Amino acid sequence: MIRRWCEAMGEENPLYVDAAAAAAQGFAAPVSPPAMLEVWTMARFRDTGRTAEDSMPVLNLFDEAGYTGVVATNIEQEYDRYLVEGDRISYTAVVDEVSPEKRTGLGIGHFVTIRYEFTDQNGDPVGRTLLRVLKFKPNLAQPAAASLSSAAEFSHPRPAITHDNAHYWEGISRRELLIQQCASCGQMRHPPGPGCPKCRSLEWHAVKASGRAKLHSFVVVHQPRIPSLQYPLPVLLVELEEGVRLIANGVGLPEKDIVVDMPLRLDWVEIEPGYVLPAFRAPDGEA
Ligand code: ZN
């Protein structure tokens, strides 16, 4: 999770991912980036899952009074020490302050400051966060957002390639659709990820998909429109015969011909020179 966070944030400090760099600074192992403090309290890292307290029920009082909009306005954090593998973090949250009613560009509302106190498995404080949100009555007379410019200014959206999905996109560039299979329990999985959702093993290998599939479900997108794509845009949820599902476009599949459970075959579409994506079509002449 630290590696994924660093990739998403563009954080390149080796202290967070490299054992030798951590050892050089006196740590037994890579440490957590301090700004990940809240991450370790999220449901997937706890035994109890998400609880009612997480949703700050006091904020519902603002909704009931018509202040249904919410926007975070600023956040301050303090860290007492680096968090390391094995720490178990929990928090308490209290509403610290509510401002008088203010008139803002979004509408009238109250600034609400929430204070989070984070503690470790020994009950010792490890950090705190002050989060200020504006709960406001949405101003319905706002002008429409500026419309997107012409298609010529936009190229087709590109995937975000990370350490954990690079193998998948390298396969795509060779016109091979690769599925991850857990080396420990054999579970197939997609989209690509570092660990097995069934047994949590980090060991895996890639299996090349046969390309035989069927349509599990689909939607036809009309809005919002990205200038480089064609609308109406069918988006398919395809079930591969290997047992995993992926989202893909169709090729040669007008909306009227799309039926749930129809057989599909893998094909490839060259979006721009050298940029290929998997897509699915009806099988040729097969039942
Ligand atoms: Zn497994």
Side-chain angles (χ1 to χ4, degrees), residues 182-187 189 196-201 203:
C182 174
S184 175
C185 75
Q187 173 89 0
R189 67 174 185 266
C196 174
K198 190 172 166 194
C199 77
R200 300 192 167 191
S201 168
E203 304 299 321

Side-chain angles (χ1 to χ4, degrees), residues 5-157:
W5 189 92
C6 288
E7 284 174 349
M9 295 296 178
E11 173 60 68
E12 293 177 346
N13 187 337
L15 177 62
Y16 307 136
V17 290
D18 182 71
Q25 295 193 44
F27 295 101
V31 300
S32 168
M36 285 186 75
L37 181 58
E38 185 200 356
V39 170
W40 310 117
T41 67
M42 290 180 178
R44 62 178 299 177
F45 298 107
R46 297 198 308 235
D47 301 330
T48 52
R50 204 163 177 82
T51 64
E53 288 75 43
D54 289 348
S55 62
M56 293 297 287
V58 67
L59 294 181
N60 296 343
L61 298 174
F62 289 89
D63 292 331
E64 288 162 15
Y67 301 94
T68 53
V70 63
V71 61
T73 58
N74 59 306
I75 185 167
E76 294 168 29
Q77 289 194 312
E78 289 175 13
Y79 316 111
D80 296 333
R81 67 167 174 86
Y82 280 110
L83 301 184
V84 297
E85 190 172 343
D87 275 331
R88 297 192 69 84
I89 307 303
S90 50
Y91 71 88
T92 56
V94 295
V95 173
D96 207 49
E97 188 182 351
V98 178
S99 78
E101 189 177 81
K102 305 277 189 187
R103 188 167 298 276
T104 77
L106 293 168
I108 58 168
H110 295 272
F111 289 94
V112 183
T113 305
I114 304 166
R115 173 186 292 274
Y116 296 83
E117 298 280 355
F118 295 86
T119 51
D120 65 14
Q121 58 279 12
N122 302 314
D124 293 328
V126 295
R128 59 208 56 80
T129 293
L130 275 182
L131 172 67
R132 187 166 299 122
V133 300
L134 173 67
K135 286 294 290 175
F136 61 97
K137 294 181 177 175
N139 180 356
L140 299 177
Q142 281 194 78
S147 60
L148 291 172
S149 315
S150 70
E153 294 174 40
F154 288 82
S155 60
H156 194 284

